[in-house]
Amino acid sequence: MRRPIAVAKRHSRLLTSGVILAAQSLLLTLSAVPASASPPAPADDTRTPARGTAHMGEGVLAHEGVQGRPVGTRVAQTEGVDVSSHQGNVAWSTLWKSGVKWAYVKATEGTSYRNPYFAQQYGGSYDAGMVRGAYHFATPDTAGGAAQADYFVDHGGAWSKDGRTLPGVLDIEYNPYGATCYGRTHSQMVSWIRAFLDRYKERTGRHAAIYTSTNWWTQCTGNYSGFGASNPLWIARYASTVGALPAGWDFHTMWQYTSSGPTVGDHDKFNGALDRVKALANG
C-alpha cells in the first residue's frame, strides 16, 4: 500500500513544478513588452482632422448618417458630383460616360487653404464636357464672411458667363474641427453667412448657392428664412427623399444624396433637366 502513495506524491510534485514553470514563463514574456507600448487604437477611433481637409458632406455623414437611397421620380433630374482633394486626380471621362453632366470642385477653405488638385478637377470636368463650378468650405471660427468670400473669389471661385460655369457655393455645415456651430449664436451665424453672400455678389454679380443640411441649419441659424428668395439651395441628405427643407426655401436646386456613389463617392442630383443646369450657369 505504501508504493502507490509514493507515486502519487511524485505526480503532485511534478504538477506543482509545471505550474511554477508556466508562471515564470508568463512573467518573462510580459517583462519583454516595453513599458511605453500601448494597445492599437480601435477600428472606430475618431480624431479631429487637419485644418483644410474638410469636404462637402463630411459632417452630414458623421452626424446624420445614411437613411436610404433616392426613389424614382417623374421629375427630370441631372446627375452631378462634388469633389475635393480627397478624390485626387479624377477620372472625368469615366464620370461623363456614366451620365454625370455637372460638377462642383472645392476651391478653398477659410482664408489659407487651397485645394492642390483644383486645376485638374476644375479644368478636367470642363474638358470632359461638364458644366462646373467651385465651392468654399466655410469656417466661421477663423475669419469673417467677407474675408472668406474674397479669398474664394481670388482662388477659383469667380464666375464668368460662358454657359459652362456655375455660380459659387458656400458650404456651411457641421464643424469637423470642433463645436458644431463654430462657437457662434444664431444671429452671429446668420450675420456671418450674410457677409459672405453679400461680398460674393458684390465681387461676381451672382448670388452664391448655399449647401447645408436642414438639421444643421435649424440648429445653428435658428432656421433662419431670409436667404431663400435669392440664394439657390443645395440640400444634403442621404435618404430616399430630400425631406423637409430649411425655412425660406420652397424647393431645392441640388441634392447631395450619397457619399458612396461610383467613381468619386459624392453624387448629387440637379432638380431639373440639363437645360436648367445651363440656365443656372448663365444666370
Side-chain angles (χ1 to χ4, degrees):
M1 298 298 290
R2 290 179 182 177
R3 188 175 183 83
I5 293 174
V7 172
K9 287 182 178 180
R10 228 175 11 254
H11 286 172
S12 177
R13 285 196 298 271
L14 289 172
L15 179 60
T16 301
S17 299
V19 171
I20 292 172
L21 287 172
Q24 290 174 336
S25 176
L26 177 60
L27 288 172
L28 287 171
T29 300
L30 291 174
S31 66
V33 178
S36 60
S38 58
D44 61 350
D45 183 46
T46 56
R47 295 177 174 85
T48 302
R51 284 278 179 178
T53 61
H55 57 90
M56 187 175 276
E58 181 174 355
V60 177
L61 180 63
H63 288 262
E64 300 181 20
V66 177
Q67 304 167 52
R69 297 296 288 266
V71 296
T73 175
R74 294 181 180 179
V75 177
Q77 298 185 71
T78 308
E79 191 74 6
V81 294
D82 58 271
V83 298
S84 66
S85 62
H86 288 265
Q87 283 77 27
N89 291 321
V90 175
W92 291 110
S93 60
T94 300
L95 285 165
W96 175 262
K97 291 173 184 176
S98 72
V100 173
K101 302 303 179 186
W102 61 276
Y104 266 99
V105 178
K106 179 179 179 179
T108 52
E109 178 177 323
T111 55
S112 60
Y113 175 84
R114 298 169 63 183
N115 175 7
Y117 292 94
F118 182 77
Q120 191 277 343
Q121 294 175 346
Y122 195 70
S125 54
Y126 185 92
D127 292 343
M130 297 181 191
V131 184
R132 51 80 164 108
Y135 79 84
H136 174 81
F137 192 95
T139 54
D141 58 339
T142 64
Q148 293 196 31
D150 281 333
Y151 189 76
F152 177 45
V153 173
D154 291 341
H155 298 98
W159 174 80
S160 59
K161 191 172 183 177
D162 58 5
R164 299 274 300 283
T165 302
L166 293 160
V169 169
L170 172 64
D171 178 358
I172 185 81
E173 57 172 293
Y174 298 95
N175 179 10
Y177 310 117
T180 295
C181 300
Y182 300 87
R184 291 181 172 263
T185 65
H186 292 166
S187 61
Q188 289 172 339
M189 184 63 75
V190 170
S191 294
W192 191 97
I193 294 170
R194 181 180 292 110
F196 182 99
L197 298 176
D198 287 350
R199 181 61 61 86
Y200 187 83
K201 176 66 163 57
E202 177 186 332
R203 291 286 306 274
T204 67
R206 292 298 308 272
H207 289 290
I210 296 174
Y211 168 96
T212 194
S213 80
T214 300
N215 289 343
W216 183 90
W217 191 263
T218 301
Q219 181 178 348
C220 296
T221 74
N223 208 19
Y224 180 73
S225 62
F227 300 123
S230 56
N231 300 94
L233 173 65
W234 189 347
I235 193 70
R237 188 170 187 259
Y238 309 146
S240 58
T241 65
V242 297
L245 299 179
W249 284 280
D250 295 325
F251 62 91
H252 68 283
T253 298
M254 294 167 283
W255 171 25
Q256 187 189 54
Y257 68 88
T258 184
S259 63
S260 57
T263 307
V264 298
D266 292 352
H267 276 244
D268 311 88
K269 293 185 181 298
F270 191 95
N271 192 16
L274 183 57
D275 65 320
R276 303 315 304 158
V277 179
K278 293 178 178 178
L280 179 62
N282 284 319

